[in-house]
Amino acid sequence: MPETDGQLYRRYLTEADEEALKSLYIKYKENLTLFLYGMVQNMDDAEELMMDTFAILASGTARYRSREDAGFKTWLYAVAKNQARMFLRRNRRGVELHEVQVETAGAEEPEKELLLTERNAQLYKALKGLDKDYRQVLFLLYFEELKPEEISRIMKKSIKQVYNLTARGKTALKATLERMGYTWEL
């Protein structure tokens, strides 16, 4: 049975196994950066915050405890969200908007990969225009494939609030996509 992410992180902390932390970094760096970008709206800042999050992991200052109802990924995204909140408090300034190309992996044919990349880029562009809470809940649900319980822990909202945000976010996203000329099923 392969190690869980939580076990990898504990191995890093207890045995100073750099490869364990490197595996976690490789697995989470891109999606964590996109999640942070959704909060700070600047790719350079998002990348820096992602690195800060992994610096916290490397230092062992944030305490991860394995729990049945919250896995490593949930904890990692909560740490990253806290980093972004502190950053936004420190840097109350206008938001720069940058285009982002969402990469996809695993497409079997170049045409499918191109269409999937374009679809994700348009979806991410539509998400940028939504309310911050809608954007976060939909990103965590669709891009990160987290469960509502995990999302509620990351966002510090009740399960009911997560369901409400999801429903409202889907409605807002659908309207945005329709204004962009798309009619995708959500």
Side-chain angles (χ1 to χ4, degrees):
M1 178 179 239
E3 280 184 300
T4 65
D5 294 340
Q7 291 169 330
L8 271 174
Y9 183 58
R10 275 192 295 283
R11 182 161 43 97
Y12 165 74
L13 290 175
T14 58
E15 301 171 19
D17 184 348
E18 296 291 329
E19 287 300 312
L21 186 62
K22 183 178 177 183
S23 294
L24 293 170
Y25 175 77
I26 290 168
K27 181 176 182 177
Y28 289 107
K29 69 178 181 176
E30 289 179 24
N31 287 341
L32 194 61
T33 302
L34 286 175
F35 172 71
L36 290 163
Y37 174 80
M39 294 182 72
V40 299
Q41 297 294 299
N42 180 294
M43 190 54 79
D44 292 334
D45 292 337
E47 288 171 352
E48 189 171 324
L49 288 168
M50 181 272 301
M51 294 301 293
D52 290 347
T53 301
F54 275 96
I56 289 170
L57 267 67
S59 70
T61 54
R63 299 285 176 214
Y64 169 71
R65 289 175 188 81
S66 180
R67 293 170 34 177
E68 205 172 290
D69 61 341
F72 177 82
K73 185 177 185 177
T74 303
W75 174 77
L76 175 65
Y77 275 73
V79 171
K81 182 177 180 179
N82 286 337
Q83 287 299 108
R85 280 184 171 166
M86 288 188 297
F87 171 82
L88 290 170
R89 270 189 232 127
R90 283 190 314 263
N91 300 299
R92 296 196 186 267
R93 57 181 162 76
V95 175
E96 292 179 43
L97 297 178
H98 293 277
E99 291 299 314
V100 64
Q101 184 74 17
V102 178
E103 304 228 0
T104 59
E108 298 166 359
E109 301 169 28
E111 298 84 17
K112 281 185 181 177
E113 184 174 339
L114 181 63
L115 288 173
L116 195 54
T117 300
E118 177 62 24
R119 178 179 169 219
N120 283 348
Q122 293 302 320
L123 182 58
Y124 199 77
K125 184 177 178 182
L127 281 172
K128 278 194 320 189
L130 299 182
D131 173 80
K132 158 180 92 81
D133 285 340
Y134 296 164
R135 184 174 53 242
Q136 276 185 351
V137 76
L138 293 176
F139 181 86
L140 291 170
L141 184 67
Y142 291 121
F143 284 87
E144 290 304 313
E145 300 174 354
L146 292 176
K147 296 178 178 126
E149 297 77 22
E150 295 170 312
I151 295 170
S152 77
R153 289 194 173 295
I154 291 169
M155 295 183 70
K156 294 185 174 34
K157 306 260 185 214
S158 72
I159 299 288
K160 184 175 179 168
Q161 288 174 311
V162 168
Y163 281 116
N164 288 340
L165 287 171
T166 301
R168 290 181 191 134
K170 284 180 180 180
T171 302
L173 180 59
K174 184 177 180 185
T176 301
L177 288 170
E178 286 173 354
R179 280 193 303 276
M180 294 170 66
Y182 295 95
T183 56
W184 295 343
E185 285 294 318
L186 298 178

